[in-house]
Amino acid sequence: MGAVLGALGLLVTALSIEAQWNAEGEARERSLAVCRMLASTPEVVDAFADADPTASLQPRARSAMAASGVDFITIMTTDGVRLTHPNPDQIGKQFLGTITAAQRGETLVETFTGTLGPSVRAVVPIFDNDETLVGIVSAGVTTRQIADAVLPRLPLILVLACVIVAIGTAAAALSRRVVRRVAGDLAPQRLRGMVSFYESVLHSVREGVVITDE
């Protein structure tokens, strides 16, 4: 019974870790897709030429957040000064995260602790029609939302683990029953000794060994 419970615990742990990885992978893909979509939107690119980019970018960022389910979208200058943020008080302040890769024109996905707590976020450069870097966009999903996404999967994980353990237990019981039919109530050591004996006998057949009863 202890072995069964131990196996069940290990299986539940493994399945939970896999569910966590899958949820993080989905968060990374979603964040990256949102960033790439905004970075390629002409209205977003053109807004950087306005006297007040936030006036047009903040509503667009909020709309994209609602549609995509990410926890934040921050569009910023090339120096990392926020032009949009879920909390308007954070607009105009420095972005908390890695922007050096985006400043080089590269895409980055990382886990970082910002104003909303730890999050999985993507950071993507924004280029104009002349391929000049005009800004940077970051979108992310908090680890809290990732954990919330895993919780509904736990009942299914428990059911699946119980089914697998039940199948394994039934298979072990069936195997034990088959062995008992063949070997009777022989102890494992006695059975092992008999197998070794008969193996040695079979290997000696070429030497002319003959076995008879009494």
mmCIF file of all heavy atoms in Angstrom, residues 23-73:
data_model
loop_
_atom_site.group_PDB
_atom_site.id
_atom_site.type_symbol
_atom_site.label_atom_id
_atom_site.label_comp_id
_atom_site.label_asym_id
_atom_site.label_seq_id
_atom_site.Cartn_x
_atom_site.Cartn_y
_atom_site.Cartn_z
ATOM 1 N N ALA A 23 1.732 25.539 -19.025
ATOM 2 C CA ALA A 23 1.105 26.840 -18.802
ATOM 3 C C ALA A 23 2.107 27.965 -19.045
ATOM 4 O O ALA A 23 1.761 29.002 -19.636
ATOM 5 C CB ALA A 23 0.548 26.923 -17.381
ATOM 6 N N GLU A 24 3.349 27.777 -18.609
ATOM 7 C CA GLU A 24 4.371 28.799 -18.843
ATOM 8 C C GLU A 24 4.662 28.924 -20.341
ATOM 9 O O GLU A 24 4.863 30.031 -20.854
ATOM 10 C CB GLU A 24 5.648 28.452 -18.081
ATOM 11 C CG GLU A 24 5.531 28.647 -16.574
ATOM 12 C CD GLU A 24 6.863 28.450 -15.879
ATOM 13 O OE1 GLU A 24 7.888 28.296 -16.584
ATOM 14 O OE2 GLU A 24 6.875 28.460 -14.634
ATOM 15 N N GLY A 25 4.700 27.788 -21.030
ATOM 16 C CA GLY A 25 4.934 27.824 -22.473
ATOM 17 C C GLY A 25 3.828 28.564 -23.199
ATOM 18 O O GLY A 25 4.092 29.354 -24.112
ATOM 19 N N GLU A 26 2.583 28.334 -22.785
ATOM 20 C CA GLU A 26 1.456 29.045 -23.395
ATOM 21 C C GLU A 26 1.560 30.551 -23.119
ATOM 22 O O GLU A 26 1.262 31.370 -24.000
ATOM 23 C CB GLU A 26 0.144 28.501 -22.828
ATOM 24 C CG GLU A 26 -0.165 27.072 -23.261
ATOM 25 C CD GLU A 26 -1.358 26.501 -22.529
ATOM 26 O OE1 GLU A 26 -1.996 27.247 -21.748
ATOM 27 O OE2 GLU A 26 -1.660 25.302 -22.716
ATOM 28 N N ALA A 27 1.983 30.908 -21.904
ATOM 29 C CA ALA A 27 2.121 32.327 -21.554
ATOM 30 C C ALA A 27 3.212 32.989 -22.397
ATOM 31 O O ALA A 27 3.054 34.129 -22.857
ATOM 32 C CB ALA A 27 2.449 32.468 -20.073
ATOM 33 N N ARG A 28 4.308 32.292 -22.622
ATOM 34 C CA ARG A 28 5.390 32.833 -23.442
ATOM 35 C C ARG A 28 4.925 33.054 -24.884
ATOM 36 O O ARG A 28 5.178 34.108 -25.475
ATOM 37 C CB ARG A 28 6.591 31.875 -23.428
ATOM 38 C CG ARG A 28 7.352 31.839 -22.113
ATOM 39 C CD ARG A 28 8.389 30.734 -22.102
ATOM 40 N NE ARG A 28 9.134 30.717 -20.863
ATOM 41 C CZ ARG A 28 10.281 31.351 -20.671
ATOM 42 N NH1 ARG A 28 10.812 32.044 -21.659
ATOM 43 N NH2 ARG A 28 10.888 31.305 -19.512
ATOM 44 N N GLU A 29 4.262 32.052 -25.436
ATOM 45 C CA GLU A 29 3.799 32.161 -26.816
ATOM 46 C C GLU A 29 2.770 33.285 -26.977
ATOM 47 O O GLU A 29 2.798 34.032 -27.953
ATOM 48 C CB GLU A 29 3.202 30.826 -27.262
ATOM 49 C CG GLU A 29 4.229 29.710 -27.388
ATOM 50 C CD GLU A 29 3.602 28.382 -27.744
ATOM 51 O OE1 GLU A 29 2.368 28.350 -27.942
ATOM 52 O OE2 GLU A 29 4.338 27.384 -27.822
ATOM 53 N N ARG A 30 1.859 33.394 -26.003
ATOM 54 C CA ARG A 30 0.831 34.435 -26.080
ATOM 55 C C ARG A 30 1.460 35.815 -25.980
ATOM 56 O O ARG A 30 1.114 36.725 -26.749
ATOM 57 C CB ARG A 30 -0.187 34.231 -24.956
ATOM 58 C CG ARG A 30 -1.467 35.059 -25.149
ATOM 59 C CD ARG A 30 -2.330 35.051 -23.908
ATOM 60 N NE ARG A 30 -2.281 33.811 -23.167
ATOM 61 C CZ ARG A 30 -2.681 33.698 -21.906
ATOM 62 N NH1 ARG A 30 -3.146 34.757 -21.266
ATOM 63 N NH2 ARG A 30 -2.625 32.537 -21.287
ATOM 64 N N SER A 31 2.381 35.991 -25.034
ATOM 65 C CA SER A 31 3.033 37.296 -24.853
ATOM 66 C C SER A 31 3.811 37.691 -26.103
ATOM 67 O O SER A 31 3.754 38.847 -26.540
ATOM 68 C CB SER A 31 3.975 37.245 -23.638
ATOM 69 O OG SER A 31 3.271 36.927 -22.464
ATOM 70 N N LEU A 32 4.520 36.733 -26.681
ATOM 71 C CA LEU A 32 5.318 37.026 -27.865
ATOM 72 C C LEU A 32 4.423 37.372 -29.055
ATOM 73 O O LEU A 32 4.724 38.295 -29.822
ATOM 74 C CB LEU A 32 6.202 35.814 -28.202
ATOM 75 C CG LEU A 32 7.226 35.996 -29.326
ATOM 76 C CD1 LEU A 32 8.155 37.159 -29.031
ATOM 77 C CD2 LEU A 32 8.023 34.706 -29.512
ATOM 78 N N ALA A 33 3.314 36.662 -29.190
ATOM 79 C CA ALA A 33 2.393 36.929 -30.302
ATOM 80 C C ALA A 33 1.788 38.327 -30.191
ATOM 81 O O ALA A 33 1.658 39.042 -31.195
ATOM 82 C CB ALA A 33 1.290 35.876 -30.319
ATOM 83 N N VAL A 34 1.422 38.730 -28.969
ATOM 84 C CA VAL A 34 0.844 40.063 -28.771
ATOM 85 C C VAL A 34 1.866 41.143 -29.110
ATOM 86 O O VAL A 34 1.547 42.132 -29.788
ATOM 87 C CB VAL A 34 0.351 40.225 -27.322
ATOM 88 C CG1 VAL A 34 -0.038 41.673 -27.038
ATOM 89 C CG2 VAL A 34 -0.840 39.305 -27.066
ATOM 90 N N CYS A 35 3.099 40.964 -28.656
ATOM 91 C CA CYS A 35 4.145 41.951 -28.937
ATOM 92 C C CYS A 35 4.400 42.079 -30.438
ATOM 93 O O CYS A 35 4.511 43.191 -30.968
ATOM 94 C CB CYS A 35 5.436 41.554 -28.223
ATOM 95 S SG CYS A 35 5.430 41.859 -26.450
ATOM 96 N N ARG A 36 4.489 40.963 -31.114
ATOM 97 C CA ARG A 36 4.760 41.004 -32.550
ATOM 98 C C ARG A 36 3.608 41.643 -33.311
ATOM 99 O O ARG A 36 3.823 42.358 -34.295
ATOM 100 C CB ARG A 36 5.027 39.590 -33.054
ATOM 101 C CG ARG A 36 6.408 39.069 -32.659
ATOM 102 C CD ARG A 36 6.613 37.626 -33.054
ATOM 103 N NE ARG A 36 8.000 37.210 -32.854
ATOM 104 C CZ ARG A 36 8.414 35.948 -32.915
ATOM 105 N NH1 ARG A 36 7.545 34.972 -33.178
ATOM 106 N NH2 ARG A 36 9.695 35.656 -32.719
ATOM 107 N N MET A 37 2.392 41.380 -32.854
ATOM 108 C CA MET A 37 1.228 41.980 -33.514
ATOM 109 C C MET A 37 1.259 43.501 -33.378
ATOM 110 O O MET A 37 1.064 44.231 -34.359
ATOM 111 C CB MET A 37 -0.052 41.406 -32.902
ATOM 112 C CG MET A 37 -1.347 41.933 -33.502
ATOM 113 S SD MET A 37 -1.954 43.447 -32.695
ATOM 114 C CE MET A 37 -2.378 42.815 -31.077
ATOM 115 N N LEU A 38 1.520 43.991 -32.167
ATOM 116 C CA LEU A 38 1.556 45.440 -31.947
ATOM 117 C C LEU A 38 2.731 46.088 -32.666
ATOM 118 O O LEU A 38 2.613 47.191 -33.214
ATOM 119 C CB LEU A 38 1.627 45.732 -30.450
ATOM 120 C CG LEU A 38 0.353 45.441 -29.660
ATOM 121 C CD1 LEU A 38 0.609 45.582 -28.161
ATOM 122 C CD2 LEU A 38 -0.770 46.381 -30.084
ATOM 123 N N ALA A 39 3.878 45.400 -32.662
ATOM 124 C CA ALA A 39 5.070 45.968 -33.299
ATOM 125 C C ALA A 39 4.894 46.110 -34.803
ATOM 126 O O ALA A 39 5.571 46.935 -35.434
ATOM 127 C CB ALA A 39 6.292 45.105 -32.995
ATOM 128 N N SER A 40 4.009 45.316 -35.385
ATOM 129 C CA SER A 40 3.796 45.376 -36.837
ATOM 130 C C SER A 40 2.541 46.170 -37.215
ATOM 131 O O SER A 40 2.192 46.232 -38.405
ATOM 132 C CB SER A 40 3.681 43.955 -37.397
ATOM 133 O OG SER A 40 2.586 43.265 -36.824
ATOM 134 N N THR A 41 1.881 46.780 -36.228
ATOM 135 C CA THR A 41 0.679 47.565 -36.497
ATOM 136 C C THR A 41 1.071 48.977 -36.930
ATOM 137 O O THR A 41 1.742 49.696 -36.177
ATOM 138 C CB THR A 41 -0.215 47.637 -35.245
ATOM 139 O OG1 THR A 41 -0.585 46.307 -34.860
ATOM 140 C CG2 THR A 41 -1.468 48.446 -35.524
ATOM 141 N N PRO A 42 0.679 49.423 -38.119
ATOM 142 C CA PRO A 42 1.088 50.746 -38.612
ATOM 143 C C PRO A 42 0.685 51.881 -37.669
ATOM 144 O O PRO A 42 1.450 52.842 -37.486
ATOM 145 C CB PRO A 42 0.372 50.868 -39.965
ATOM 146 C CG PRO A 42 0.162 49.451 -40.392
ATOM 147 C CD PRO A 42 -0.085 48.664 -39.140
ATOM 148 N N GLU A 43 -0.511 51.789 -37.058
ATOM 149 C CA GLU A 43 -0.952 52.860 -36.151
ATOM 150 C C GLU A 43 -0.033 52.981 -34.937
ATOM 151 O O GLU A 43 0.197 54.082 -34.426
ATOM 152 C CB GLU A 43 -2.388 52.587 -35.692
ATOM 153 C CG GLU A 43 -3.446 52.736 -36.787
ATOM 154 C CD GLU A 43 -3.524 51.527 -37.683
ATOM 155 O OE1 GLU A 43 -2.842 50.507 -37.387
ATOM 156 O OE2 GLU A 43 -4.273 51.593 -38.666
ATOM 157 N N VAL A 44 0.497 51.863 -34.466
ATOM 158 C CA VAL A 44 1.432 51.898 -33.331
ATOM 159 C C VAL A 44 2.736 52.561 -33.752
ATOM 160 O O VAL A 44 3.281 53.418 -33.043
ATOM 161 C CB VAL A 44 1.690 50.478 -32.794
ATOM 162 C CG1 VAL A 44 2.801 50.487 -31.737
ATOM 163 C CG2 VAL A 44 0.410 49.885 -32.201
ATOM 164 N N VAL A 45 3.233 52.181 -34.902
ATOM 165 C CA VAL A 45 4.487 52.765 -35.399
ATOM 166 C C VAL A 45 4.327 54.257 -35.630
ATOM 167 O O VAL A 45 5.193 55.068 -35.231
ATOM 168 C CB VAL A 45 4.920 52.061 -36.706
ATOM 169 C CG1 VAL A 45 6.182 52.719 -37.267
ATOM 170 C CG2 VAL A 45 5.159 50.581 -36.460
ATOM 171 N N ASP A 46 3.222 54.661 -36.244
ATOM 172 C CA ASP A 46 3.010 56.079 -36.548
ATOM 173 C C ASP A 46 2.837 56.916 -35.285
ATOM 174 O O ASP A 46 3.141 58.122 -35.284
ATOM 175 C CB ASP A 46 1.778 56.246 -37.442
ATOM 176 C CG ASP A 46 1.969 55.624 -38.812
ATOM 177 O OD1 ASP A 46 3.135 55.393 -39.196
ATOM 178 O OD2 ASP A 46 0.949 55.343 -39.487
ATOM 179 N N ALA A 47 2.370 56.304 -34.206
ATOM 180 C CA ALA A 47 2.112 57.057 -32.970
ATOM 181 C C ALA A 47 3.384 57.639 -32.378
ATOM 182 O O ALA A 47 3.333 58.652 -31.662
ATOM 183 C CB ALA A 47 1.424 56.154 -31.951
ATOM 184 N N PHE A 48 4.527 57.036 -32.662
ATOM 185 C CA PHE A 48 5.782 57.545 -32.101
ATOM 186 C C PHE A 48 6.167 58.905 -32.680
ATOM 187 O O PHE A 48 7.005 59.608 -32.116
ATOM 188 C CB PHE A 48 6.917 56.531 -32.322
ATOM 189 C CG PHE A 48 6.851 55.342 -31.417
ATOM 190 C CD1 PHE A 48 6.172 54.206 -31.792
ATOM 191 C CD2 PHE A 48 7.450 55.381 -30.159
ATOM 192 C CE1 PHE A 48 6.094 53.103 -30.956
ATOM 193 C CE2 PHE A 48 7.373 54.285 -29.316
ATOM 194 C CZ PHE A 48 6.687 53.146 -29.691
ATOM 195 N N ALA A 49 5.552 59.271 -33.796
ATOM 196 C CA ALA A 49 5.829 60.573 -34.387
ATOM 197 C C ALA A 49 4.915 61.655 -33.824
ATOM 198 O O ALA A 49 5.109 62.852 -34.105
ATOM 199 C CB ALA A 49 5.678 60.502 -35.907
ATOM 200 N N ASP A 50 3.913 61.273 -33.012
ATOM 201 C CA ASP A 50 2.992 62.244 -32.433
ATOM 202 C C ASP A 50 3.637 62.979 -31.263
ATOM 203 O O ASP A 50 4.585 62.494 -30.639
ATOM 204 C CB ASP A 50 1.716 61.540 -31.942
ATOM 205 C CG ASP A 50 0.952 60.880 -33.085
ATOM 206 O OD1 ASP A 50 1.196 61.261 -34.237
ATOM 207 O OD2 ASP A 50 0.136 59.983 -32.793
ATOM 208 N N ALA A 51 3.086 64.142 -30.975
ATOM 209 C CA ALA A 51 3.574 64.912 -29.831
ATOM 210 C C ALA A 51 3.249 64.201 -28.517
ATOM 211 O O ALA A 51 4.007 64.287 -27.548
ATOM 212 C CB ALA A 51 2.953 66.312 -29.839
ATOM 213 N N ASP A 52 2.108 63.494 -28.474
ATOM 214 C CA ASP A 52 1.706 62.754 -27.280
ATOM 215 C C ASP A 52 1.360 61.314 -27.687
ATOM 216 O O ASP A 52 0.183 60.986 -27.879
ATOM 217 C CB ASP A 52 0.503 63.427 -26.619
ATOM 218 C CG ASP A 52 0.086 62.737 -25.330
ATOM 219 O OD1 ASP A 52 0.873 61.899 -24.825
ATOM 220 O OD2 ASP A 52 -1.018 63.022 -24.827
ATOM 221 N N PRO A 53 2.369 60.442 -27.798
ATOM 222 C CA PRO A 53 2.113 59.054 -28.239
ATOM 223 C C PRO A 53 1.168 58.304 -27.308
ATOM 224 O O PRO A 53 0.393 57.465 -27.765
ATOM 225 C CB PRO A 53 3.513 58.427 -28.232
ATOM 226 C CG PRO A 53 4.462 59.573 -28.299
ATOM 227 C CD PRO A 53 3.798 60.689 -27.557
ATOM 228 N N THR A 54 1.210 58.630 -26.015
ATOM 229 C CA THR A 54 0.389 57.900 -25.046
ATOM 230 C C THR A 54 -1.105 58.040 -25.338
ATOM 231 O O THR A 54 -1.885 57.108 -25.101
ATOM 232 C CB THR A 54 0.685 58.401 -23.617
ATOM 233 O OG1 THR A 54 2.067 58.133 -23.319
ATOM 234 C CG2 THR A 54 -0.171 57.692 -22.583
ATOM 235 N N ALA A 55 -1.507 59.179 -25.865
ATOM 236 C CA ALA A 55 -2.924 59.431 -26.112
ATOM 237 C C ALA A 55 -3.535 58.373 -27.028
ATOM 238 O O ALA A 55 -4.692 57.968 -26.839
ATOM 239 C CB ALA A 55 -3.109 60.818 -26.715
ATOM 240 N N SER A 56 -2.783 57.895 -27.999
ATOM 241 C CA SER A 56 -3.320 56.889 -28.921
ATOM 242 C C SER A 56 -2.863 55.473 -28.554
ATOM 243 O O SER A 56 -3.567 54.494 -28.835
ATOM 244 C CB SER A 56 -2.896 57.207 -30.361
ATOM 245 O OG SER A 56 -1.484 57.237 -30.475
ATOM 246 N N LEU A 57 -1.702 55.364 -27.914
ATOM 247 C CA LEU A 57 -1.164 54.039 -27.616
ATOM 248 C C LEU A 57 -1.818 53.393 -26.388
ATOM 249 O O LEU A 57 -2.016 52.178 -26.364
ATOM 250 C CB LEU A 57 0.355 54.120 -27.404
ATOM 251 C CG LEU A 57 1.189 54.447 -28.641
ATOM 252 C CD1 LEU A 57 2.661 54.561 -28.275
ATOM 253 C CD2 LEU A 57 0.984 53.377 -29.723
ATOM 254 N N GLN A 58 -2.146 54.195 -25.366
ATOM 255 C CA GLN A 58 -2.724 53.629 -24.149
ATOM 256 C C GLN A 58 -4.064 52.933 -24.410
ATOM 257 O O GLN A 58 -4.248 51.789 -23.972
ATOM 258 C CB GLN A 58 -2.883 54.727 -23.081
ATOM 259 C CG GLN A 58 -3.502 54.272 -21.767
ATOM 260 C CD GLN A 58 -2.584 53.433 -20.902
ATOM 261 O OE1 GLN A 58 -1.524 52.990 -21.345
ATOM 262 N NE2 GLN A 58 -2.990 53.209 -19.663
ATOM 263 N N PRO A 59 -5.002 53.541 -25.127
ATOM 264 C CA PRO A 59 -6.264 52.821 -25.422
ATOM 265 C C PRO A 59 -6.042 51.564 -26.252
ATOM 266 O O PRO A 59 -6.706 50.554 -26.046
ATOM 267 C CB PRO A 59 -7.089 53.859 -26.191
ATOM 268 C CG PRO A 59 -6.500 55.180 -25.821
ATOM 269 C CD PRO A 59 -5.046 54.925 -25.626
ATOM 270 N N ARG A 60 -5.099 51.627 -27.184
ATOM 271 C CA ARG A 60 -4.832 50.459 -28.022
ATOM 272 C C ARG A 60 -4.224 49.330 -27.186
ATOM 273 O O ARG A 60 -4.558 48.150 -27.376
ATOM 274 C CB ARG A 60 -3.882 50.844 -29.162
ATOM 275 C CG ARG A 60 -3.646 49.728 -30.174
ATOM 276 C CD ARG A 60 -2.826 50.244 -31.350
ATOM 277 N NE ARG A 60 -3.582 51.252 -32.094
ATOM 278 C CZ ARG A 60 -4.467 50.946 -33.031
ATOM 279 N NH1 ARG A 60 -4.727 49.681 -33.326
ATOM 280 N NH2 ARG A 60 -5.097 51.900 -33.684
ATOM 281 N N ALA A 61 -3.344 49.699 -26.253
ATOM 282 C CA ALA A 61 -2.740 48.680 -25.397
ATOM 283 C C ALA A 61 -3.784 48.032 -24.497
ATOM 284 O O ALA A 61 -3.787 46.815 -24.303
ATOM 285 C CB ALA A 61 -1.627 49.309 -24.558
ATOM 286 N N ARG A 62 -4.691 48.836 -23.947
ATOM 287 C CA ARG A 62 -5.753 48.292 -23.088
ATOM 288 C C ARG A 62 -6.661 47.350 -23.877
ATOM 289 O O ARG A 62 -7.080 46.294 -23.385
ATOM 290 C CB ARG A 62 -6.565 49.431 -22.468
ATOM 291 C CG ARG A 62 -5.843 50.174 -21.357
ATOM 292 C CD ARG A 62 -6.789 51.168 -20.678
ATOM 293 N NE ARG A 62 -6.165 51.832 -19.544
ATOM 294 C CZ ARG A 62 -6.084 51.304 -18.321
ATOM 295 N NH1 ARG A 62 -6.600 50.097 -18.089
ATOM 296 N NH2 ARG A 62 -5.506 51.965 -17.333
ATOM 297 N N SER A 63 -6.983 47.724 -25.081
ATOM 298 C CA SER A 63 -7.835 46.885 -25.920
ATOM 299 C C SER A 63 -7.151 45.565 -26.244
ATOM 300 O O SER A 63 -7.780 44.494 -26.208
ATOM 301 C CB SER A 63 -8.176 47.636 -27.216
ATOM 302 O OG SER A 63 -8.934 46.822 -28.082
ATOM 303 N N ALA A 64 -5.869 45.620 -26.544
ATOM 304 C CA ALA A 64 -5.113 44.397 -26.851
ATOM 305 C C ALA A 64 -5.005 43.506 -25.623
ATOM 306 O O ALA A 64 -5.058 42.274 -25.734
ATOM 307 C CB ALA A 64 -3.727 44.765 -27.373
ATOM 308 N N MET A 65 -4.866 44.114 -24.437
ATOM 309 C CA MET A 65 -4.823 43.329 -23.203
ATOM 310 C C MET A 65 -6.124 42.565 -22.991
ATOM 311 O O MET A 65 -6.124 41.373 -22.666
ATOM 312 C CB MET A 65 -4.566 44.248 -22.000
ATOM 313 C CG MET A 65 -3.139 44.717 -21.831
ATOM 314 S SD MET A 65 -2.997 45.891 -20.446
ATOM 315 C CE MET A 65 -3.734 44.956 -19.104
ATOM 316 N N ALA A 66 -7.234 43.251 -23.172
ATOM 317 C CA ALA A 66 -8.540 42.619 -22.967
ATOM 318 C C ALA A 66 -8.777 41.494 -23.966
ATOM 319 O O ALA A 66 -9.362 40.459 -23.631
ATOM 320 C CB ALA A 66 -9.641 43.670 -23.078
ATOM 321 N N ALA A 67 -8.301 41.680 -25.192
ATOM 322 C CA ALA A 67 -8.544 40.681 -26.233
ATOM 323 C C ALA A 67 -7.635 39.467 -26.102
ATOM 324 O O ALA A 67 -8.037 38.350 -26.428
ATOM 325 C CB ALA A 67 -8.360 41.318 -27.611
ATOM 326 N N SER A 68 -6.424 39.674 -25.614
ATOM 327 C CA SER A 68 -5.435 38.591 -25.583
ATOM 328 C C SER A 68 -5.340 37.880 -24.238
ATOM 329 O O SER A 68 -4.876 36.743 -24.165
ATOM 330 C CB SER A 68 -4.054 39.142 -25.946
ATOM 331 O OG SER A 68 -3.642 40.113 -24.985
ATOM 332 N N GLY A 69 -5.756 38.563 -23.164
ATOM 333 C CA GLY A 69 -5.680 37.943 -21.845
ATOM 334 C C GLY A 69 -4.337 38.092 -21.152
ATOM 335 O O GLY A 69 -4.117 37.482 -20.097
ATOM 336 N N VAL A 70 -3.426 38.896 -21.702
ATOM 337 C CA VAL A 70 -2.169 39.152 -20.997
ATOM 338 C C VAL A 70 -2.420 40.139 -19.867
ATOM 339 O O VAL A 70 -3.418 40.855 -19.854
ATOM 340 C CB VAL A 70 -1.092 39.702 -21.960
ATOM 341 C CG1 VAL A 70 -0.750 38.682 -23.022
ATOM 342 C CG2 VAL A 70 -1.540 41.020 -22.601
ATOM 343 N N ASP A 71 -1.512 40.158 -18.888
ATOM 344 C CA ASP A 71 -1.709 41.014 -17.722
ATOM 345 C C ASP A 71 -1.201 42.436 -17.927
ATOM 346 O O ASP A 71 -1.625 43.351 -17.215
ATOM 347 C CB ASP A 71 -1.012 40.397 -16.501
ATOM 348 C CG ASP A 71 -1.745 39.158 -16.007
ATOM 349 O OD1 ASP A 71 -2.971 39.227 -15.839
ATOM 350 O OD2 ASP A 71 -1.092 38.118 -15.797
ATOM 351 N N PHE A 72 -0.282 42.610 -18.844
ATOM 352 C CA PHE A 72 0.186 43.977 -19.106
ATOM 353 C C PHE A 72 0.747 44.080 -20.512
ATOM 354 O O PHE A 72 1.226 43.094 -21.086
ATOM 355 C CB PHE A 72 1.255 44.401 -18.086
ATOM 356 C CG PHE A 72 2.603 43.763 -18.295
ATOM 357 C CD1 PHE A 72 3.542 44.332 -19.142
ATOM 358 C CD2 PHE A 72 2.938 42.591 -17.639
ATOM 359 C CE1 PHE A 72 4.789 43.753 -19.341
ATOM 360 C CE2 PHE A 72 4.177 42.000 -17.814
ATOM 361 C CZ PHE A 72 5.102 42.584 -18.676
ATOM 362 N N ILE A 73 0.640 45.263 -21.049
ATOM 363 C CA ILE A 73 1.308 45.634 -22.303
ATOM 364 C C ILE A 73 1.941 46.992 -22.063
ATOM 365 O O ILE A 73 1.251 47.953 -21.714
ATOM 366 C CB ILE A 73 0.325 45.709 -23.483
ATOM 367 C CG1 ILE A 73 -0.241 44.316 -23.814
ATOM 368 C CG2 ILE A 73 1.015 46.286 -24.721
ATOM 369 C CD1 ILE A 73 -1.296 44.339 -24.905
#
